[in-house]
Amino acid sequence: MTLLERERELEAIEGVLDRGGVLILEGGAGIGKTSLVNTACERGTAAGQEVLRGRGSELESGFEFGVVLQLFERRVAAAEHSEANELFAGPAAAARPLFTGETVAVADAEVSFAVLHGLYWLAVNLAARRPLVMAVDDAHWVDGPSLRWLAYLAPRLGGLPVALILALRPAGAASEQPSLLVLHEQAAVVRPGLLSENATSEIVRSVIGGAADELCAAAWRESGGNPFYLRELLRAGDLTAVAHPSGGLSRLVAARIRGLDPRALRLGQALAVLGDGCELRHAASIAEMDVETASRLAYGLVRLEVLAGDAPPRFLHPVLREVLEWSLAGDPRSSAHRAAAELLGADGAAPGLVAAHLMRVRPAGEPWVVERLRDAAGAALRSGAPQAAADLLKRALAEPPPRAERVSVLREGAAAESMAGRKAACALLEEALGLEADPHRRAEIALQLAEAHANLYQWADAVDVCERALAELDQDASPLASRLQAEVGVCGLRDARLVARALPALDRLAGRPLEGTVAEAYAIGRAMADHMIRGRSAREIARPLLVALEHAGPRGESWDLRLPGLVTLLWTEAFDEVEGMLQAMLTEVRRSGSARGLHVTYASLGLLNLLLGALPEADAAARVALRVLREAEFSRGLPLVASVLSGVAIQAGQLEEAEALLETVPLENLPPSLPALLVSVTKAQLRLAQGRPADALREFETCRAAYSAEVWGREMHDNGFLHIRSGSAQALLLLGAPERALELAEAELSDARDFGAPRALGRALRVAGLVRGREEGLAALDESVSVLRASPALLERGYSLVELGSALRRLGRRTAAREPLAEALELAARCGAPPLAARAREELKATGARPRRDWRTGVEALTPSELRVARLALEGHSNREIAQLLYLTVKTIESHLAHVYDKLEIAGRAELASGLSREKIRVPTP
């Protein structure tokens, strides 16, 4: 079929088929988008490309991952066992349960990010075999999870032989669909226009040979140049039958079908309700006719060009299905969908498909409807679509469920809303509390409500809910009461306003036999209190917490609870133990795909590597955590991730990036809490790096006030994590206030000695040495270096070495200064810290050494991200494997390696070993 006046659109199709990328065909109903999609698929097939097709429908817009299944299900089912294993290798394994029906454990239900990422790698693995074309018609009706995946895929297609072609209608509501906005940003968009009078005349004369000019003009006028409406006019043989567009079209189509047989319209409407690919026997049942009659009428609808085929039935054009369904009035349409749901449910159809019909049925208080919707919501959760599950349960509540079941449905809905990061979870649980009379069950609901509040940083609300529940429980020592007490303790220590209520809750748990999550929560709360409030030593804090976390194992029953425990251990510098735990957790979360588990693990891994001075590794891990946060649509953890990434950027000299990262955290929305303090301290450190000591001092003073007894109600200890006093001392020294600087530096040093962690002590000694100056300061710097040699925190040692060398040089001991400065230079290169390297180089020049040319090339010129990729490549990982490890695209890895080769002045991978060798670090010569 020749497409008229579509040269521009066909050129765009050829371009995306040839080069890959995203193409959107946007236009109103009947404008010819489907014909263009068909042409694109035909040309892709002719070119030897793998073509996968899907189509959105208004009916299935609530069927989670429905379009994804249309795209991949047949291809996956056709794969041999060995090929299927290759297609689902690596991160793609997380998407396999979508196609196999495997059950996902309840603890692993929150898999949305892993499924999105897994589907991306399924597409990549398919494209590695031959170029891939994915075409989706009526994309404006794509279900939410599939649309999110398409938006996840689109920005990651660069460099891949993948063409994504979407046909959709213009949507005034597009601004309410972030996924559609993302797709538009990534796509080339072409908008087919209405046909001219000449093109209309050509079509009319191809059907009616020798048609007069007047007839052609009437066809153009009545159809408005819309290709589909024009075809319908010509099929009807009455050019005045339709007044553009849909109302008359519906009457026209209905009249044409009635002309076949009065019963054919009922069958057509039933087929429209069921959708393409349905069982004809189901349509016959809904239309109240026998299958033999339905089969005869379906064949007639094919001849009438309403259906494209009858085995299985499928409409020639989506507009025909749409107008036939809406030709049913409200009550008959609802009844038809109810009948469809009953038939599909009895046949064992997928719960989501049954629920797609029930979502279009008017509520009538039917228990079986609620049951089916709950089944579908459970399936949606297991497939990583909590938003879809929440919407299904909202509809179940509107049915409504029997009174005895309402509380259970409310709790299920709240769990889905909480996973989706929605505030509605709290309102649902409040309603459940209001309906439940039993104190024990009320306490269970209260705990769920407290966890929902905690997920939204609403720690005060979480504590209030727990305390009200505890007041109602008779058995204060029961496991449930203990769990509530532990929640009060952990949540209360994260908000300054709640400390006075948190500590008694933890005290009440002391000495009780605790198990499972309660034992873990108590150990974490106790460690936080010992660290911040009681001022215990690092060893005293870490020992019981390590025992509790090791007993809990790598799978977190509450990942959000696990995070403060890991962070507290890192402040105590139990680096080796935490690294071991995180490796086990990585294995677990990669298997389960839990979005929150991925975030907690990678955020903790980022902080660990930042404290160790492994900037490339810290950057890579924290960026994975950030991607998980953005894709999984929950903001919890953003302050920690932004602080880690900003800390990396500061030490890598990327100050503008550090500023931009900190601006992503809305501090005004955070309570006075540790996450807010971390962001504020990092901002103060940035001001120091920017050479703005007065601004830095103001930021540090703000932090001191926020971490004071006046705010927290207790004397607070800053050991090993905020470094507010030493940071203030550095700013004061630059501002010419050495007396006040010395007071603060000595106070932190005294506490650091009591705390007993080498990294914290080495840092405090370094600042004290800078403030003391002369021989006394030199001794402190020398001790700082000595202490840090017992710590794996290499970058802190590098900073102390540079200050030691600089102090020696200022005291006239230039030869002695060269050795620590040269070692600092090497550490700076290993850690990926160009500013430290530049400082060491300048100091070496001042000693009379001859460091080589400025480091615009070489290891020290690499960014943290580039250095991490280079090291993984050196270990033998392929570009694809590196992309999988870092949750990046292959093109991004290729870009990083290209920069690495350029900066190392090498030709490629074969020379990485020499390019990253110690000799390339350019240790200066005397």
Side-chain angles (χ1 to χ4, degrees), residues 580-716:
M581 290 180 188
L582 290 176
Q583 291 307 315
M585 288 168 61
L586 275 177
T587 301
E588 169 61 27
V589 297
R590 285 170 178 164
R591 182 197 66 78
S592 71
S594 166
R596 293 192 192 275
L598 282 165
H599 162 68
V600 167
T601 304
Y602 277 102
S604 302
L605 193 59
L607 179 59
L608 166 65
N609 283 302
L610 177 63
L611 296 175
L612 294 177
L615 301 185
E617 290 75 13
D619 183 78
R623 288 193 184 280
V624 172
L626 183 62
R627 278 188 284 276
V628 173
L629 284 176
R630 288 173 173 169
E631 298 299 337
E633 296 184 356
F634 57 87
S635 61
R636 184 173 179 77
L638 180 59
L640 174 60
V641 174
S643 297
V644 171
L645 286 170
S646 299
V648 171
I650 291 167
Q651 296 183 80
Q654 300 167 335
L655 304 186
E656 289 184 4
E657 181 176 355
E659 190 82 63
L661 285 162
L662 291 172
E663 287 177 357
T664 65
V665 182
L667 277 176
E668 65 278 3
N669 296 335
L670 294 179
S673 57
L674 294 180
L677 276 167
L678 279 176
V679 175
S680 297
V681 164
T682 307
K683 188 176 292 186
Q685 293 166 348
L686 174 60
R687 298 293 175 257
L688 275 179
Q690 291 169 330
R692 299 163 55 185
D695 292 334
L697 183 61
R698 276 192 291 272
E699 294 285 356
F700 280 122
E701 290 295 338
T702 299
C703 294
R704 287 185 66 207
Y707 196 58
S708 65
E710 288 75 17
V711 174
W712 289 75
R714 296 288 191 282
E715 181 185 353
M716 304 301 291

Side-chain angles (χ1 to χ4, degrees), residues 746-818:
E746 294 292 351
E748 181 161 317
L749 176 56
S750 176
D751 285 349
R753 290 192 188 279
D754 293 337
F755 189 56
R759 179 185 175 276
L761 178 56
R763 180 168 178 156
L765 281 164
R766 181 174 68 247
V767 175
L770 289 172
V771 177
R772 291 174 184 174
R774 307 299 295 176
E775 293 293 341
E776 188 181 1
L778 187 66
L781 292 170
D782 189 58
E783 185 184 357
S784 173
V785 171
S786 178
V787 166
L788 287 167
R789 290 199 187 281
S791 169
L794 298 184
L795 193 54
E796 288 295 340
R797 190 195 311 169
Y799 283 121
S800 292
L801 284 164
V802 131
E803 296 299 350
L804 176 61
S806 177
L808 287 167
R809 192 264 307 163
R810 289 194 300 272
L811 292 171
R813 304 172 195 175
R814 295 195 300 171
T815 301
R818 291 171 187 167

Side-chain angles (χ1 to χ4, degrees), residues 519-600:
E520 182 181 357
Y522 171 67
I524 290 170
R526 174 183 165 184
M528 293 170 67
D530 286 348
H531 180 219
M532 298 186 303
I533 297 170
R534 300 186 181 107
R536 301 272 170 82
S537 71
R539 184 183 297 273
E540 290 175 306
I541 297 165
R543 190 184 299 115
L545 183 53
L546 282 169
V547 171
L549 292 185
E550 286 169 359
H551 182 74
R555 176 186 290 186
E557 290 187 36
S558 171
W559 288 109
D560 293 325
L561 173 65
R562 178 70 56 89
L563 181 60
L566 292 168
V567 170
T568 301
L569 278 178
L570 288 174
W571 300 142
T572 69
E573 302 184 25
F575 297 134
D576 290 343
E577 294 85 349
V578 172
E579 185 173 13
M581 290 180 188
L582 290 176
Q583 291 307 315
M585 288 168 61
L586 275 177
T587 301
E588 169 61 27
V589 297
R590 285 170 178 164
R591 182 197 66 78
S592 71
S594 166
R596 293 192 192 275
L598 282 165
H599 162 68
V600 167

Side-chain angles (χ1 to χ4, degrees), residues 231-309:
R231 291 285 181 187
E232 285 301 308
L233 286 169
L234 293 171
R235 288 188 182 106
D238 180 1
L239 298 184
T240 63
V242 58
H244 177 71
S246 58
L249 177 62
S250 178
R251 291 191 295 273
L252 175 63
V253 172
R256 190 154 60 88
I257 294 174
R258 283 196 195 94
L260 172 67
D261 187 299
R263 294 169 296 179
L265 180 60
R266 294 208 315 271
L267 179 65
Q269 291 168 330
L271 289 169
V273 165
L274 287 162
D276 283 351
C278 67
E279 295 277 353
L280 185 62
R281 59 190 175 89
H282 291 158
S285 176
I286 294 172
E288 299 178 340
M289 63 182 65
D290 58 69
V291 175
E292 184 179 350
T293 301
S295 181
R296 177 177 56 79
L297 292 175
Y299 179 71
L301 290 173
V302 173
R303 287 187 292 108
L304 207 60
E305 294 186 301
V306 173
L307 297 180

Side-chain angles (χ1 to χ4, degrees), residues 616-617 620 865-879 881-886 888 893 897 909 912 916:
E617 290 75 13
S865 296
E866 291 165 353
L867 188 52
R868 178 60 174 153
V869 170
R871 287 173 175 169
L872 288 171
L874 182 61
E875 292 172 9
H877 294 286
S878 68
N879 289 1
E881 290 169 340
I882 297 171
Q884 290 176 349
L885 286 169
L886 302 183
L888 296 171
I893 302 305
L897 285 175
R909 273 179 175 259
L912 270 175
L916 293 173

Side-chain angles (χ1 to χ4, degrees), residues 467-499:
E467 288 181 338
R468 286 198 299 269
L470 284 165
E472 294 180 13
L473 281 176
D474 293 332
Q475 297 176 335
D476 190 57
S478 68
L480 181 55
S482 296
R483 181 67 185 88
L484 288 163
Q485 296 281 12
E487 190 74 13
V488 171
V490 175
C491 289
L493 288 173
R494 297 166 100 171
D495 186 326
R497 301 165 297 182
L498 308 171
V499 170

